[in-house]
Amino acid sequence: MVQSQEEEHPRKAFGWAARDTSGVLSPFNFSRRTNGADDVTLKILYCGICHSDLHAVRNDWRNTVYPIVPGHEIIGAVTEVGTNVTDLKVGDITGVGCLVGACHTCESCEGDQENYCHRLILTYNSVDRDGTVTYGGYSDHIVVPRRYAVRVPQGLPLAAAAPLLCAGITVYSPMKHYAMTEPGRHLGVVGLGGLGHVAVKMAKAFGLKVTVISTSPAKEKEAIQGLGADDFLVSRDPEKMKASASTMDYIIDTVSAVHSLEPLLALLKLNGKLVMVGAPDKPLSLNTHPLLFGRKAIGGSMIGGMKETQEMMDFCCKHNITADVEVINMDYVNTAMDRLAKSDVKYRFVIDVANSLSN
Amino acid sequence: MVESREEEHPQSQKVFGWAARDSSGVLSPFIFSRRTNLADDVTLKILYCGICHSDLHATRNEWGNTIYPIVPGHEIIGTVTEVGANVTDLKVGDIAGVGCLVGACHTCESCEDDLENYCPRLVFAYNSIDHDGNVTYGGYSDRIVVPSRYAVRVPQGLPLAAAAPLLCAGITVYSPMKFHRMTEPGRHIGVVGLGGLGHVAVKMAKAFGVRVTVVSTSPAKEKEAIQGLGADAFLVSRDAEKMKAAAKTMDYIIDTVSAAHPLEPLMALLKRDGKLIMVGAPDKPLSIHAFPLIFGRKAIAGSMIGGMKETQEMMDFCGKHNITADVEVINMDYVNTAMDRMAKADVKYRFVIDVANSLSKQ
């Protein structure tokens, strides 16, 4: 007999879940494990709404297990620590991102790259080691192994820090890995949404020249005056794009819709790299000649390891980097999802879980 | 009035070669001219010229940019017959090679980094517009005149006909191996396609001491790959089970295939952080999926020949390790048959024209 989600685990939990591909979220009683020796429990304060949450609740990737409790940009207060946990204590403000488990024995895990472990466990819609489905941060509390919690440095406003747990690490990691942090270099950021706007802020903190590349001319003022970008390029303007040919050392492409890569490759200098962090779910067409004639590369990147996520949080505190957020109550979440689908948000919704999630 | 090719160069010398005159690509005797040897130039009497697949594409106008008549050939080995007053590192009688490049701007960042091959104003050995405004002609001819910067010394001891393909095929695979550091001990490289580029890549990779797997559509090439070239393993790309078993085993892949082909099965062979380097140039767009790149932090990159300093380094490396191409030496009048055979990949692995002995005026 299939156990109900309320009975799977010993502790009662409350959250909002989508029950079918409409993606509409509503109150949901479920359960979580008790705090194990290696675990910490967080009372959730805030949870960012990531575009992945939208894809998942609507089954866009055709792998959703319903009911699904999304949310992987979680900030909370520690309410319990396991006996093996020595460096976090009750009351500490911590974050949980996209990962809650991995094998810990493979080469990726040993290299602090749990995000590339072939047995990684995602915060929601994943199968945990005990065979049950994981539930995310649109809920009152979460229990994770200590390894998957990061300290939130003091001084960061909490609602605005929540999106760093996914959007932040998603752009920070490739910036480090692909060596995009040499001061004076020129970075292009494609797409000015949750990922893109954080990328601009981080790149400026690294001392890079930043050009935002967008289909929307309306975003120029915000990019330059609001976020500090040096330049703004409308990708649908062929003349402007041509004038910018061979000017960028790197490009971070945050766009998850299918789009053409050639015009972006043309912006790169010799040895330039275009890194995809958005995940279009259909194949893209690529003419390989630009890669050969400029020794250019197209790479990908997916979130980051836990050690790196902590490093990113500390970097953001040092440089006072947080996301630009619109804080909402839990019962606004479905409207927020619809607005997110139309990119009608500057630039992340964050759910005020502690104050608005009521049983 | 259009100058005849024989009269193009005011200070000129008559030259004899073979050219294609239309997109049939059929080559036939052709009289033209080259400049006389200037202060920075060297002149080579051409001994051998390899037939590169690019020659086939170009003579048949497959890239849509061919200027006819076209004299192809950019895998040239010859004897220096004249040196300009400013040339100090080559002398008459030296054996030298000329590859794909005969000019660049020499002032841009790429040129200053010894990467003339990425100069926005590079001049190719054939079918390119030289600084004097004339079209360049390649190595299916009796001689060539190039700035000495674009000639490399051929190390003593290398058999000359077999060394000719190094000037293009050799540098094309050597350059990305060095740039992407594929040569670090313990690495595992996949080489896709066992033709002119691929077979040289296998030899070089083994000389670097790395593990090599040849990835090919033809099971018939396995014996040659392993016994003939020294590859460690052979993978038939159409064998789904074998491909699955080889998933995530390679640090790099050098993809030499110029026909359109799916990249996803190759990406799956790469470990995390693996890189697939394209050196073949499919002329139609390929389809790539972002997920393999994102989920394994993998990359697809390109590479095109190499700079002149690197080309000399490659020649010296091949001299040290006794690496040359496997060639079928032919006479000039066999060239059209050779082109047809190459179009069907019917050659192990490069035709080389014995220019000095078979190119005769008619």
Side-chain angles (χ1 to χ4, degrees):
Chain A
M1 194 192 100
V2 175
Q3 275 183 325
S4 78
Q5 289 85 16
E6 285 185 78
E7 290 157 356
E8 260 175 337
H9 299 287
R11 281 199 183 157
K12 279 196 172 29
F14 175 71
W16 279 44
R19 288 164 166 79
D20 56 45
T21 60
S22 71
V24 168
L25 295 135
S26 57
F28 175 62
N29 291 304
F30 63 108
S31 53
R32 292 194 184 276
R33 67 173 183 272
T34 46
N35 200 88
D38 295 318
D39 291 337
V40 293
T41 299
L42 271 63
K43 170 184 156 70
I44 295 175
L45 302 173
Y46 296 100
C47 187
I49 301 185
C50 175
H51 211 113
S52 303
D53 299 351
L54 180 63
H55 287 305
V57 298
R58 296 184 183 182
N59 198 25
D60 288 348
W61 294 323
R62 293 173 292 283
N63 66 354
T64 300
V65 175
Y66 291 104
I68 173 173
V69 177
H72 57 205
E73 296 186 336
I74 303 164
I75 300 265
V78 175
T79 56
E80 198 172 342
V81 296
T83 48
N84 293 340
V85 176
T86 52
D87 58 346
L88 283 176
K89 57 188 193 308
V90 170
D92 283 348
I93 304 298
T94 52
V96 171
C98 307
L99 306 177
V100 296
C103 83
H104 304 159
T105 56
C106 72
E107 204 182 323
S108 289
C109 285
E110 292 195 342
D112 296 314
Q113 299 284 343
E114 300 93 338
N115 48 322
Y116 296 113
C117 172
H118 56 291
R119 293 210 295 272
L120 91 173
I121 301 169
L122 301 174
T123 304
Y124 61 81
N125 197 41
S126 224
V127 179
D128 212 338
R129 286 202 290 269
D130 61 9
T132 60
V133 158
T134 54
Y135 297 111
Y138 295 17
S139 59
D140 56 6
H141 74 282
I142 192 167
V143 184
V144 298
R146 154 71 187 103
R147 182 171 177 153
Y148 296 94
V150 291
R151 282 180 310 277
V152 178
Q154 212 159 18
L156 279 182
L158 300 186
L164 297 176
L165 273 310
C166 178
I169 185 59
T170 295
V171 295
Y172 182 87
S173 183
M175 291 179 78
K176 297 303 292 289
H177 176 72
Y178 288 98
M180 299 179 168
T181 59
E182 209 181 308
R185 296 291 196 179
H186 185 182
L187 171 72
V189 176
V190 186
L192 198 62
L195 294 177
H197 91 289
V198 172
V200 174
K201 296 186 185 196
M202 288 183 173
K204 292 311 298 171
F206 279 122
L208 304 176
K209 175 177 151 98
V210 179
T211 296
V212 169
I213 301 150
S214 172
T215 52
S216 331
K219 292 190 177 183
E220 176 163 5
K221 187 172 172 201
E222 179 61 25
I224 306 223
Q225 295 178 23
L227 298 168
D230 298 280
D231 219 336
F232 187 89
L233 196 47
V234 178
S235 48
R236 291 177 178 155
D237 184 337
E239 290 231 5
K240 293 268 165 63
M241 290 289 277
K242 197 171 169 192
S244 292
S246 303
T247 57
M248 299 179 193
D249 296 285
Y250 345 93
I251 291 174
I252 294 182
D253 187 354
T254 73
V255 175
S256 56
V258 167
H259 57 288
S260 179
L261 295 179
E262 263 85 324
L264 301 176
L265 290 174
L267 299 173
L268 290 169
K269 297 176 183 173
L270 171 66
N271 302 335
K273 299 181 181 79
L274 184 150
V275 179
M276 309 197 65
V277 292
D281 58 0
K282 289 186 181 35
L284 307 176
S285 164
L286 174 68
N287 183 351
T288 56
H289 285 213
L291 296 183
L292 272 70
F293 282 97
R295 198 160 59 177
K296 301 178 185 180
I298 300 174
S301 185
M302 191 183 73
I303 39 179
M306 294 318 300
K307 188 172 163 198
E308 199 174 24
T309 304
Q310 183 68 66
E311 179 189 302
M312 178 276 303
M313 295 297 286
D314 297 338
F315 173 84
C316 287
C317 181
K318 180 174 168 188
H319 295 278
N320 205 25
I321 295 171
T322 51
D324 293 359
V325 299
E326 183 176 329
V327 182
I328 62 161
N329 284 343
M330 192 73 231
D331 60 11
Y332 189 78
V333 70
N334 290 308
T335 308
M337 286 290 192
D338 287 340
R339 285 180 53 196
L340 177 60
K342 291 177 282 189
S343 299
D344 176 24
V345 55
K346 281 195 174 56
Y347 290 99
R348 266 291 201 253
F349 290 109
V350 172
I351 306 167
D352 182 351
V353 174
N355 290 322
S356 69
L357 181 73
S358 52
N359 236 329
Chain B
M1 187 194 107
V2 175
E3 284 174 348
S4 80
R5 304 285 180 235
E6 290 187 43
E7 292 158 355
E8 254 175 335
H9 294 272
Q11 305 288 85
S12 73
Q13 46 185 320
K14 271 199 177 32
V15 180
F16 178 70
W18 278 45
R21 286 165 168 77
D22 56 44
S23 59
S24 72
V26 169
L27 295 136
S28 58
F30 175 63
I31 296 173
F32 61 106
S33 61
R34 293 189 185 278
R35 65 174 182 272
T36 47
N37 201 89
L38 301 174
D40 293 320
D41 291 338
V42 294
T43 299
L44 270 64
K45 168 186 157 70
I46 296 177
L47 302 173
Y48 296 100
C49 187
I51 301 185
C52 175
H53 212 113
S54 303
D55 299 351
L56 181 65
H57 289 307
T59 51
R60 297 183 183 184
N61 197 23
E62 286 173 7
W63 293 324
N65 66 355
T66 300
I67 300 168
Y68 292 103
I70 173 174
V71 176
H74 56 205
E75 296 185 337
I76 302 163
I77 299 264
T79 314
V80 177
T81 57
E82 197 173 343
V83 296
N86 295 341
V87 176
T88 51
D89 55 346
L90 283 171
K91 59 186 193 310
V92 170
D94 284 348
I95 306 294
V98 171
C100 306
L101 305 177
V102 298
C105 82
H106 304 159
T107 56
C108 72
E109 211 177 312
S110 291
C111 285
E112 292 195 343
D113 285 341
D114 297 313
L115 292 172
E116 300 91 339
N117 50 321
Y118 296 114
C119 171
R121 295 205 295 274
L122 90 173
V123 181
F124 288 117
Y126 61 81
N127 199 41
S128 225
I129 304 295
D130 211 339
H131 296 309
D132 60 10
N134 293 309
V135 157
T136 52
Y137 298 111
Y140 296 17
S141 59
D142 60 20
R143 82 202 73 168
I144 192 166
V145 183
V146 297
S148 69
R149 180 173 178 151
Y150 296 95
V152 290
R153 284 178 311 276
V154 178
Q156 216 159 15
L158 280 184
L160 300 186
L166 297 175
L167 274 310
C168 178
I171 185 59
T172 295
V173 295
Y174 182 87
S175 184
M177 283 186 184
K178 295 303 294 288
F179 181 67
H180 292 283
R181 299 217 290 269
M182 299 186 187
T183 58
E184 282 169 11
R187 297 298 196 187
H188 180 188
I189 299 178
V191 175
V192 184
L194 198 61
L197 294 176
H199 90 289
V200 172
V202 174
K203 294 187 186 197
M204 287 184 173
K206 290 314 297 172
F208 279 121
V210 297
R211 180 181 160 83
V212 178
T213 296
V214 170
V215 182
S216 172
T217 51
S218 329
K221 293 190 176 183
E222 175 162 4
K223 187 173 172 198
E224 180 63 22
I226 307 227
Q227 295 178 21
L229 299 168
D232 299 281
F234 186 89
L235 196 47
V236 179
S237 48
R238 291 176 179 154
D239 184 334
E241 290 232 4
K242 292 268 167 63
M243 289 288 278
K244 196 169 168 192
K248 297 190 184 159
T249 57
M250 299 178 192
D251 297 287
Y252 312 93
I253 290 173
I254 297 180
D255 186 353
T256 74
V257 174
S258 58
H261 57 287
L263 293 181
E264 259 74 278
L266 301 175
M267 299 305 294
L269 298 172
L270 290 169
K271 297 175 184 176
R272 185 197 85 215
D273 297 335
K275 298 184 176 77
L276 184 148
I277 312 300
M278 308 206 64
V279 291
D283 56 1
K284 290 186 180 36
L286 301 183
S287 161
I288 64 159
H289 206 295
F291 282 23
L293 299 181
I294 289 170
F295 284 102
R297 199 162 59 181
K298 301 178 187 180
I300 299 172
S303 187
M304 191 185 71
I305 40 180
M308 293 319 301
K309 187 173 163 196
E310 198 174 29
T311 304
Q312 183 68 68
E313 179 189 301
M314 177 277 302
M315 293 298 286
D316 296 338
F317 173 83
C318 288
K320 179 176 169 187
H321 294 278
N322 203 26
I323 295 172
T324 51
D326 294 357
V327 299
E328 183 177 330
V329 182
I330 62 161
N331 284 344
M332 192 75 230
D333 59 12
Y334 190 76
V335 72
N336 290 308
T337 308
M339 287 287 193
D340 288 340
R341 283 181 53 197
M342 186 168 62
K344 291 177 282 187
D346 175 24
V347 55
K348 281 196 172 61
Y349 289 100
R350 266 290 201 254
F351 291 109
V352 173
I353 305 167
D354 183 351
V355 175
N357 289 322
S358 69
L359 180 74
S360 54
K361 282 204 180 61
Q362 297 193 339

